Amino acid sequence: MTDLQINDQALTLKNLRAVWQAPVRLSISDIARSRIEASRAKILEVLASGGQVYGVNTGFGLLANVRVSDDELDHLQENLIRSHAVGVGNALPDEIVRLVMLLKVRALAQGYSGVRPLLVETLCGLINHEIYPVIPSKGSVGASGDLAPLAHMAGALIGIGDVRVSGKLMTAADALQNAGLKPVRLAPKEGLALLNGTQVSTAIALAATFRTEHLMAAALIAGAMSTDAIKGSDKPFDARIQDIRGHDGQRDVAAMLRELLSGSDIRASHLECDRVQDPYSIRCQPQVEGACLDVLRHVSRVLEIEANAVTDNPLVFDDAVLSGGNFHAEPVAFAADYLALSIAEIGSLSERRIALLVDPHMSGLPAFLVEESGLNSGFMMVQIVAAALASESKVLAHPASVDSIPTSANQEDHVSMATFAANRLHSMLDNVNSIVAIELLSAAQGIDFHHPRRSSQVLEKALQKIREFSPKFESDRSLKIDVDEVSALIDSGHFFSKCSSILPSA
């Protein structure tokens, strides 16, 4: 279990990836505690003066002008959580919930939210005991914060709703008791501070970003293997070509492809062949996947900023309590939409290379990568599956952020749809992991036809790993399990280390 202290230092992508991958032991520093206490004192000062503060002693949304009596302020915060915990859909996985909770701790610990240290410490306690609230994945429009999903997270703090502990479902009340934690009785401002914020959409998008890194590493290896399988040229990956265009991602992808192919006997066997140019899916890998890498880097930076942001409302400063709109998740929605393009294009290019490999006129390999084609259909059907998945991902890549819809009786009249924008990335990643898995299987089959000539050491090692899940295809059999297992291998990050030098969170 990783130890992580929340202090005045920003969380890095490495921190965030580590918390996504494994449980964490979380604490807050003395500096953070003093900032939390100072902001709490400011809220108490405003209340003592008889001032009116949105969500502290008023209703919410369109009801902001309704003053709530002092003796009902605590009740107001609990009502907020109970009324807003109405999310639907499949529950978010524990690793994403853990990220959500971390991001909420980070936001509250900066001292602009007016909560007590007790609230933040109890949230840390849930994380440290691996008590993960059951948070439905749907129901947020990504403005005024991720209200419904965060209400389910907040419910666990006050002992309502369900949680998972070691994969076991139980009530929050029982989990708190088993861990020796007491349900929090919310004080003024605390329910609102918990519910306002972009932590759910940001956590879902971060998880998708880390999965995209795994995918991109596998796609680069698959592309290099496909290049060798069709006896393609590495000349288009020459550094001079990339340098005169100037895009960093293109340069880095080309360099990685050169490294992956270095030492290939297959490449050495056709240095003087009469083929002039390879198809774009081989030749333009630096240009296409380099652009995808640039997108991934940009998105990672946006989400790293958002992971460290204070996004509830109102915000507590030394001299004022100000209402604003930091809860509007437009930056996250834009980032997720941008990443969707990258994921779709990785899949599109990979599918084209699969189509190239199974076409004997273009690849020089046996039709559909099998001896005795005709009697055997070989890899015919998996290419069709890849085409179906690529087309589905193109539809899912449609931007979510342009689809605003008014809520809360038109008080909240423009929203980001960031939570859906982030959620759909995971469906796309499932699709494209399968496409790249099919390419890895196809390229491995193609390279096997060239043996005893060998590919590079790195690519032969990748081929051997694939063969642990999928023996060489000799005659027709179902490749369903092979595809699923290699897809899971991609998603696990097995290939990440091979290309980590160019990926953002490495």
Side-chain angles (χ1 to χ4, degrees):
M1 185 180 285
T2 304
D3 287 309
L4 181 62
Q5 185 177 76
I6 301 300
N7 49 37
D8 56 351
Q9 299 297 309
L11 294 170
T12 66
L13 287 173
K14 285 185 179 180
N15 295 147
L16 296 163
R17 171 179 269 278
V19 172
W20 173 64
Q21 289 179 315
V24 62
R25 187 179 296 107
L26 198 62
S27 62
I28 58 173
S29 69
D30 291 341
I31 292 174
R33 177 185 296 278
S34 65
R35 288 176 177 170
I36 296 168
E37 290 171 342
S39 73
R40 184 63 195 166
K42 182 65 178 179
I43 286 293
L44 295 177
E45 176 188 323
V46 171
L47 287 174
S49 70
Q52 182 168 302
V53 180
Y54 171 74
V56 177
N57 51 12
T58 74
F60 305 101
L62 194 65
L63 304 176
N65 293 322
V66 178
R67 182 72 178 250
V68 177
S69 62
D70 289 350
D71 60 343
E72 292 285 6
L73 297 186
D74 294 353
H75 191 197
L76 172 70
Q77 300 302 310
E78 184 174 317
N79 277 354
L80 178 67
I81 290 173
R82 291 183 182 277
S83 66
H84 282 53
V86 290
V88 299
N90 294 331
L92 294 173
D94 289 349
E95 61 269 20
I96 291 180
V97 174
R98 187 166 56 239
L99 265 180
V100 171
M101 297 164 79
L102 168 69
L103 299 189
K104 182 56 78 174
V105 168
R106 167 63 180 154
L108 297 177
Q110 293 184 60
Y112 296 98
S113 302
V115 302
R116 295 167 296 167
L118 170 68
L119 185 75
V120 185
E121 289 167 346
T122 304
L123 189 52
C124 289
L126 292 182
I127 296 170
N128 295 343
H129 285 90
E130 299 179 49
I131 300 171
Y132 302 124
V134 174
I135 301 179
S137 57
K138 297 182 180 182
S140 172
V141 293
S144 209
D146 293 314
L147 295 172
L150 283 172
H152 287 277
M153 182 207 75
L157 285 167
I158 65 173
I160 65 173
D162 293 327
V163 299
R164 281 191 298 260
V165 182
S166 301
K168 180 182 176 182
L169 188 67
M170 64 175 65
T171 66
D174 286 345
L176 289 171
Q177 185 175 27
N178 293 345
L181 300 172
K182 292 182 179 180
V184 175
R185 181 172 175 80
L186 295 176
K189 178 69 168 66
E190 291 183 335
L192 187 59
L194 289 168
L195 266 60
N196 265 174
T198 64
Q199 287 81 28
V200 172
S201 52
T202 303
I204 297 169
L206 278 167
T209 303
F210 300 142
R211 291 184 69 196
T212 304
E213 291 184 306
H214 295 174
L215 171 67
M216 177 159 281
L220 290 172
I221 289 169
M225 289 177 67
S226 292
T227 301
D228 241 9
I230 68 156
K231 290 188 172 180
S233 175
D234 58 359
K235 289 180 182 177
F237 310 149
D238 189 296
R240 291 168 291 183
I241 296 173
Q242 328 311 322
D243 286 344
I244 62 172
R245 195 171 196 190
H247 294 292
D248 289 340
Q250 180 177 329
R251 285 194 188 102
D252 291 343
V253 166
M256 183 56 64
L257 290 169
R258 293 195 303 271
E259 182 180 327
L260 291 170
L261 288 161
S262 178
S264 168
D265 293 336
I266 298 173
R267 174 62 185 128
S269 72
H270 62 95
L271 287 172
E272 305 303 326
C273 68
D274 58 2
R275 184 186 295 175
V276 178
Q277 293 187 135
D278 295 318
Y280 290 178
S281 60
I282 298 293
R283 191 180 0 143
C284 297
Q285 289 180 81
Q287 289 76 16
V288 177
E289 293 187 5
C292 292
L293 178 58
D294 283 334
V295 169
L296 180 58
R297 288 169 171 171
H298 170 76
V299 168
S300 296
R301 180 58 184 146
V302 170
L303 295 178
E304 186 178 44
I305 292 170
E306 192 72 11
N308 288 284
V310 181
T311 54
D312 59 291
N313 182 63
L315 296 172
V316 182
F317 296 92
D318 292 341
D319 58 348
V321 179
L322 302 178
S323 285
N326 278 3
F327 50 69
H328 199 297
E330 197 85 342
V332 180
F334 278 8
D337 282 346
Y338 202 15
L339 187 59
L341 300 179
S342 179
I343 294 167
E345 282 298 273
I346 292 170
S348 179
L349 200 67
S350 179
E351 185 279 326
R352 286 294 79 205
R353 291 192 297 260
I354 297 165
L356 175 62
L357 286 162
V358 301
D359 184 344
H361 305 293
M362 297 296 290
S363 69
L365 297 166
F368 299 106
L369 300 172
V370 67
E371 300 287 5
E372 297 188 80
S373 52
L375 173 62
N376 294 297
S377 295
F379 282 64
M380 179 189 296
M381 195 63 213
V382 286
Q383 187 274 323
I384 295 171
V385 171
L389 294 173
S391 254
E392 182 179 310
S393 293
K394 292 172 192 175
V395 174
L396 289 172
H398 179 86
S401 56
V402 297
D403 193 25
S404 177
I405 186 169
T407 63
S408 194
N410 283 307
Q411 174 73 8
E412 298 157 8
D413 58 350
H414 184 278
V415 299
S416 72
M417 299 308 300
T419 316
F420 167 69
N423 262 322
R424 63 73 143 83
L425 297 175
H426 292 276
S427 296
M428 296 180 69
L429 284 160
D430 292 342
N431 288 345
V432 180
N433 280 338
S434 292
I435 295 171
V436 175
I438 291 168
E439 184 185 1
L440 285 167
L441 292 167
S442 303
Q445 184 77 358
I447 288 174
D448 273 343
F449 282 119
H450 296 303
H451 286 166
R453 285 196 179 97
R454 298 285 178 182
S455 186
S456 70
Q457 186 176 354
V458 174
L459 297 184
E460 286 290 338
K461 189 173 181 180
L463 190 154
Q464 290 170 14
K465 187 66 179 179
I466 292 162
R467 288 287 173 252
E468 291 179 16
F469 300 93
S470 178
K472 183 179 178 182
F473 195 97
E474 304 286 0
S475 60
D476 276 352
R477 58 184 174 86
S478 173
L479 287 169
K480 190 257 189 296
I481 294 175
D482 309 55
V483 172
D484 288 347
E485 290 187 340
V486 175
S487 178
L489 185 70
I490 293 168
D491 209 30
S492 74
H494 173 79
F495 299 103
F496 176 73
S497 63
K498 312 293 189 302
C499 304
S500 62
S501 61
I502 65 171
L503 297 171
S505 74

